[in-house]
Amino acid sequence: MTRVRHALLSALLLAAPLASAAGPIASEDAWPRIRKERIQKLLPQAMARAKVDAWVVICRENDNDPLAIHVGCENAGGTAAFLFFKQGAAVRGVALSPAGEATALRDVGPLDEVVPLARGTNLYAQVASRLAAAKPKRIAVNSSTSVTVADGLSATQRAALEKALTPALRKKLVSSEDLVSEWLSVKLPEEVDILREAAALTSQMQEEAYRAVVPGKTRDVDVARFLRGRMAELGVGDAWAPDQNPNVQSGPTRGHSHATERVIQPGDFIQTDFGIRVGGMWVTDIQRFAYVLAPGETKPPKEALEKWEKGKKGSRIALATLKPGVRGWDVDKAQRDWMREAGSAPVMWGTGHPVGYWAHDVGPALSGAQQGKPAAGQAARIVRPGQVFAFDGFYAWPDGDAGAQRIISVEEMAVVTETGAEYLTPPQEDLVLIPSPGPSRPVP
């Protein structure tokens, strides 16, 4: 980006208030309505793809299932069971709830039926009775070794459930990991629109933070604190652990970490990995890069620009490969092939991951090819329309000490369409340039 273009962008951003200043991107009360629509429209498809006829979610107070908020039992007190039965192209949801909470569930819950249970009722016997009557062929339960949010059924809950089931029903229990991955990875159009606005705001805030950098004085942690202050002002939450959001790095890569006291210097690339949460549910994950000019420079040195362009091209190659029907592994391999061609050092990170309810959401992992092994696990999952991904374009090179690297990782967010994929917000085309004090002279 030229100095003129950078100045123009800065002026525009200063003149226009940030998008969310006019009001929240998504109100806190949007989720119950969207959740109900997701159960009605997307859960039947997910159950069909996962080949399950019934799904059992056990909820409780204080140590609830990670998926409680997705099915409507986030306010559980006494232990409750939420059952979902596939009926043709639809799903019927039934809550077996302690009587004291059943009235509230009927008022706000997303299910078709709420059955109040008197104190002392054996919940698991009631679940077993409902399952026996439904005669499912496969029953999903939240136990998984590979999808953490599908592993909410505790050992004692599982033991109680299995004890109540007949031997024939016990044999039909399967992990819900396929069901959960298929269901949560696909977002409704309204959710994609929310994520578009949140992504635009995330990018804009990072641009704003870079305008406050003074080379030789500003530390990585100062950039992080600036963004955290803006988050508080705008009323948005964290996409991941607050101590590591944002992750600002101007020196050798530190991976997923916190910003440090390192002072930003001329010649540095600055990497900011940042995500916000809106409406209490939806999160972003975007990186923006700046380059610190030396005194008198008006553009980065040729070698710095070449590194940026190679990383950016990797991101564009990943986007072009991301389309319905491919595996996550295929997207990763396309970018790995380009990295080798471009002369990049290898990196441990996968190209990308689903994003939406968590920064690292469930669904196809855009990874695995860096290990030179066939597609397996989450990387073997098929990409579908409505899935949203955050993905990087990598270019890495050694930096001083043994094993240390600097990495360009051009991370953008995109949604899969019926024919391909499209960015949620305009991608970063040029480095944000940060001038250093000194005489103005052109670079030879």
Side-chain angles (χ1 to χ4, degrees):
M1 180 183 296
T2 65
R3 179 172 295 202
V4 171
R5 184 175 174 186
H6 178 60
L8 177 60
L9 176 61
S10 296
L12 289 172
L13 289 175
L14 283 169
L18 288 176
S20 70
I25 291 172
S27 63
E28 295 282 347
D29 58 3
W31 174 243
R33 173 182 53 78
I34 291 174
R35 172 175 63 190
K36 186 171 184 178
E37 186 177 353
R38 289 187 51 81
I39 291 172
Q40 293 173 341
K41 292 184 176 180
L42 300 182
L43 187 55
Q45 300 172 12
M47 293 183 78
R49 289 170 180 156
K51 297 180 174 59
V52 298
D53 311 286
W55 182 27
V56 179
V57 182
I58 306 296
C59 303
R60 63 182 178 182
E61 191 174 37
N62 297 333
D63 188 23
N64 214 343
D65 190 291
L67 299 180
I69 196 168
H70 290 272
V71 299
C73 59
E74 64 272 20
N75 296 317
T79 304
F82 277 50
L83 313 178
F84 298 90
F85 300 101
K86 190 173 182 303
Q87 298 181 341
V91 164
R92 178 171 177 77
V94 179
L96 305 178
S97 168
E101 298 160 26
T103 300
L105 271 179
R106 287 196 190 97
D107 291 341
V108 301
L111 306 189
D112 300 289
E113 181 183 5
V114 177
V115 179
L117 301 181
R119 286 181 179 272
T121 300
N122 186 323
L123 172 70
Y124 295 98
Q126 294 294 316
V127 172
S129 176
R130 291 273 175 164
L131 291 173
K135 299 179 180 177
K137 294 179 181 179
R138 282 163 51 93
I139 307 165
V141 293
N142 292 347
S143 294
S144 174
T145 58
S146 61
V147 179
T148 55
V149 298
D151 192 38
L153 190 67
S154 73
T156 54
Q157 288 172 333
R158 175 137 193 169
L161 176 62
E162 291 188 359
K163 182 179 179 180
L165 298 178
T166 64
L169 284 174
R170 283 199 294 272
K171 292 179 181 179
K172 297 178 179 181
L173 296 180
V174 299
S175 171
S176 68
E177 62 191 22
D178 288 341
L179 166 61
V180 170
S181 294
E182 291 287 354
W183 183 39
L184 294 190
S185 65
V186 177
K187 305 302 187 283
L188 292 168
E190 182 178 354
E191 294 181 284
V192 174
D193 288 342
I194 290 170
L195 288 168
R196 284 186 197 279
E197 291 190 52
L201 178 58
T202 306
S203 176
Q204 195 173 354
M205 290 169 71
Q206 291 179 81
E207 296 271 4
E208 185 185 39
Y210 284 144
R211 295 204 309 273
V213 172
V214 178
K217 295 183 179 180
T218 304
R219 303 163 299 173
D220 290 354
V221 72
D222 295 324
V223 179
R225 287 171 181 164
F226 179 96
L227 284 168
R228 293 209 62 81
R230 295 299 286 131
M231 290 171 66
E233 291 170 5
L234 296 167
V236 298
D238 285 287
W240 56 84
D243 286 347
Q244 296 187 0
N245 182 43
N247 180 8
V248 182
Q249 301 182 54
S250 62
T253 183
R254 304 179 66 249
H256 296 143
S257 65
H258 56 277
T260 70
E261 301 287 330
R262 185 184 187 278
V263 177
I264 295 169
Q265 302 290 342
D268 283 340
F269 285 98
I270 311 176
Q271 170 194 19
T272 298
D273 191 358
F274 179 49
I276 63 173
R277 182 179 299 275
V278 299
M281 282 302 302
W282 298 275
V283 305
T284 61
D285 184 5
I286 290 176
Q287 293 186 39
R288 288 291 178 258
F289 277 77
Y291 183 83
V292 184
L293 299 169
E297 282 185 337
T298 58
K299 64 180 181 179
K302 179 182 177 182
E303 59 270 23
L305 286 174
E306 287 177 346
K307 290 169 180 173
W308 166 253
E309 291 297 331
K310 288 176 180 178
K312 188 175 75 173
K313 185 170 181 179
S315 173
R316 305 314 186 250
I317 287 171
L319 181 81
T321 311
L322 186 63
K323 60 186 65 175
V326 305
R327 301 164 299 179
W329 185 92
D330 298 318
V331 180
D332 192 45
K333 184 177 186 303
Q335 204 222 164
R336 301 288 162 188
D337 291 344
W338 162 246
M339 289 173 66
R340 285 189 288 271
E341 182 182 341
S344 171
V347 300
M348 69 176 73
W349 318 108
T351 290
H353 51 83
V355 61
Y357 304 124
W358 299 273
H360 292 173
D361 210 332
V362 298
L366 312 184
S367 63
Q370 74 267 38
Q371 301 170 357
K373 298 178 181 178
Q378 296 298 97
R381 293 194 181 278
I382 298 299
V383 171
R384 304 190 189 281
Q387 293 174 338
V388 177
F389 293 90
F391 58 94
D392 298 87
F394 289 121
Y395 184 80
W397 64 99
D399 185 77
D401 297 338
Q405 281 187 325
R406 296 213 181 197
I407 301 177
I408 300 291
S409 50
V410 188
E411 186 172 32
E412 305 287 354
M413 288 177 62
V415 60
V416 180
T417 66
E418 295 294 336
T419 57
E422 61 184 35
Y423 289 116
L424 290 190
T425 191
Q428 183 176 3
E429 296 290 351
D430 300 296
L431 288 163
V432 176
L433 300 184
I434 299 174
S436 293
S440 177
R441 59 177 175 81
V443 173

